[in-house]
Amino acid sequence: MRKNRTFTMIKPDAMENGYAGLIIAHIEKAGFKLIAMKLTQLDKDSAEKFYEIHKGKVFFNDLIQYITSGPIIAAILEKENAVEDFRKLIGNTNPEEADEGTIRNMYAKSIDANAIHGSDSDENAQIEGDFHFSN
Ligand code: CMP
């Protein structure tokens, strides 16, 4: 199978709790190659653009407030079947429903502060990666 790419962000709660290194090690051990990576912090405008797809949902304002609350690590990852395999590696959006051994099961506390993001399709992986790394 052809290698493809996904996009991830280690979110403010994981950064604050000192889990970034452990999470990156877990990702590499699972066979993902780091293609691009940066420490950054989203402002309100950028966060609203990044999460445009969720605009209008009940959790949108809390999501923007949370994701802008501290630094994040944004990264592009490469592996065969990257998008699907990475979603499996991070686990359910809600950590309470995330399988044992998944990143959200180990490092996340709530559906809002859920430690890590993973793109949900090849198309969104491209859009989200471009958003953070095209300039
Ligand atoms: P993620 O999929 O990385 O990006 C959107 C985020 O919205 C999601 O992670 C959750 O952290 C957050 N969120 C909060 N409430 C919900 C919900 N009910 N359904 C989906 N995502 C939610």
Side-chain angles (χ1 to χ4, degrees):
M1 197 182 288
R2 194 176 68 87
K3 282 191 181 173
N4 67 354
R5 291 181 177 188
T6 192
F7 170 79
T8 188
M9 292 189 299
I10 300 176
K11 297 185 183 180
D13 61 299
M15 299 295 292
E16 177 63 24
N17 291 326
Y19 294 148
L22 292 168
I23 290 173
I24 292 165
H26 192 94
I27 291 169
E28 288 189 303
K29 267 188 207 152
F32 291 86
K33 186 176 173 197
L34 295 167
I35 299 297
M37 176 171 271
K38 71 175 173 189
L39 180 72
T40 184
Q41 184 160 351
L42 291 172
D43 62 21
K44 189 166 179 282
D45 282 355
S46 307
E48 286 183 349
K49 244 177 244 157
F50 183 82
Y51 280 124
E52 203 166 15
I53 197 167
H54 295 300
K55 206 165 189 168
K57 296 188 183 161
V58 285
F59 57 84
F60 185 72
N61 289 342
D62 286 346
L63 174 61
I64 299 306
Q65 219 252 316
Y66 158 70
I67 204 69
T68 57
S69 68
I72 59 165
I73 288 176
I76 295 172
L77 306 170
E78 189 174 80
K79 186 185 176 295
E80 285 172 8
N81 205 30
V83 168
E84 198 185 332
D85 284 2
F86 195 70
R87 300 276 287 184
K88 278 189 199 140
L89 188 76
I90 67 177
N92 195 290
T93 305
N94 184 352
E96 284 175 18
E97 289 168 28
D99 290 342
E100 208 162 313
T102 60
I103 290 175
R104 284 171 171 156
N105 169 261
M106 292 190 285
Y107 301 116
K109 289 197 170 57
S110 71
I111 193 167
D112 298 302
N114 65 356
I116 192 160
H117 170 81
S119 304
D120 63 5
S121 65
D122 287 342
E123 190 191 355
N124 283 337
Q126 181 78 51
I127 292 168
E128 293 170 359
D130 287 350
F131 182 92
H132 281 277
F133 292 102
S134 64
N135 48 31

